[in-house]
Amino acid sequence: MEEAGVEVIDRVRLWPSHAMLSGRPARVKWGAWAVYLPGPQIKLMHAVAGRQHCIYHKAPKREEVLGGFDTRNGAEDWARAFSTPVLRRVAENWVMFTRLHTAGLGPEPMGLVVVRDYRSLFSRGRSITAGLRLADLTKYPEKTPATEDELRAAGIVPDRSRASLREQIRGYVSDLNNLHGAMPEDGEAEVAQVEAALSRALGR
């Protein structure tokens, strides 16, 4: 089922050991900001009520930072991250992976995905989420790791902690998400176009 180049998955359920996609089981590899399903090669962003979420064990409780109860240094940054619409962050990822792949620095982005009925251990009831299908970097030929200069030349502003550069697979950038995640430089128009396509696919 597709609309505007976006694949629509009716239902996803996530457990610690596996996922169910519209009734079909799939293996999972958990990350702080997303979960990767190796079989269908889908990276789905973690989401609560359609907003970005993080399951890193040192992350603050989203209710406390969003409610203003957590006033520690950095709480405002977490509130911003937890307030970011998941469709927008996926659109940013799509634009960045498209640029990276064109520059030979990242996996091929093979398609956009939205989930109408998404539930996980942390989603607090039914939600929506989105993600992308990415080519398997473990099957790519080994190369010299991508550098910050190469990322910037490709139109990517690296994440503040440079994790996208430290945690490469076979010399390719594989993850762009962080508290201060990587961003596409001057990519607002491209991001808005992709975000709109994701929204339309969900009937919004």
Side-chain angles (χ1 to χ4, degrees):
M1 185 175 188
E2 297 189 4
E3 180 175 328
V6 180
E7 178 184 357
V8 180
I9 298 176
D10 287 327
R11 183 174 60 199
V12 168
R13 300 289 183 267
L14 288 172
W15 288 275
S17 60
H18 69 288
M20 296 292 287
L21 276 71
S22 298
R24 300 187 304 274
R27 291 182 298 125
V28 293
K29 290 185 178 180
W30 291 93
W33 297 88
V35 62
Y36 182 63
L37 284 58
Q41 295 176 242
I42 295 175
K43 176 179 278 193
L44 287 178
M45 295 294 294
H46 298 323
V48 173
R51 306 280 172 167
Q52 194 175 222
H53 186 60
C54 178
I55 63 170
Y56 181 50
H57 69 279
K58 291 185 179 179
K61 294 184 182 300
R62 71 181 291 122
E63 293 87 352
E64 293 184 3
V65 294
L66 291 176
F69 306 115
D70 188 332
T71 58
R72 291 174 293 179
N73 185 38
E76 289 185 2
D77 292 332
W78 281 103
R80 173 196 50 77
F82 287 153
S83 299
T84 300
V86 70
L87 299 186
R88 180 165 189 82
R89 188 55 186 161
V90 168
E92 291 167 349
N93 270 255
W94 176 264
V95 172
M96 288 187 284
F97 274 120
T98 299
R99 294 179 179 185
L100 288 170
H101 179 64
T102 298
L105 305 174
E108 178 185 0
M110 301 183 297
L112 288 157
V113 173
V114 292
V115 180
R116 286 178 170 160
D117 182 353
Y118 163 79
R119 299 184 194 217
S120 68
L121 300 173
F122 49 78
S123 64
R124 295 163 180 79
R126 180 176 176 176
S127 180
I128 58 100
T129 193
L132 2 84
R133 288 187 188 264
L134 294 170
D136 186 355
L137 281 175
T138 65
K139 297 179 181 177
Y140 276 43
E142 192 86 34
K143 75 170 189 66
T144 303
T147 66
E148 180 171 342
D149 286 344
E150 287 177 322
L151 256 67
R152 291 187 180 277
I156 309 298
V157 179
D159 61 291
R160 189 178 295 182
S161 69
R162 302 302 191 269
S164 56
L165 292 164
R166 292 195 311 272
E167 300 169 6
Q168 298 183 46
I169 297 175
R170 302 185 72 80
Y172 299 87
V173 176
S174 65
D175 192 0
L176 300 163
N177 300 301
N178 211 317
L179 176 58
H180 302 281
M183 291 291 290
E185 186 175 16
D186 298 324
E188 180 60 35
E190 294 170 82
V191 169
Q193 185 176 13
V194 177
E195 185 179 9
L198 292 167
S199 185
R200 284 195 304 271
L202 285 169
R204 297 186 166 196

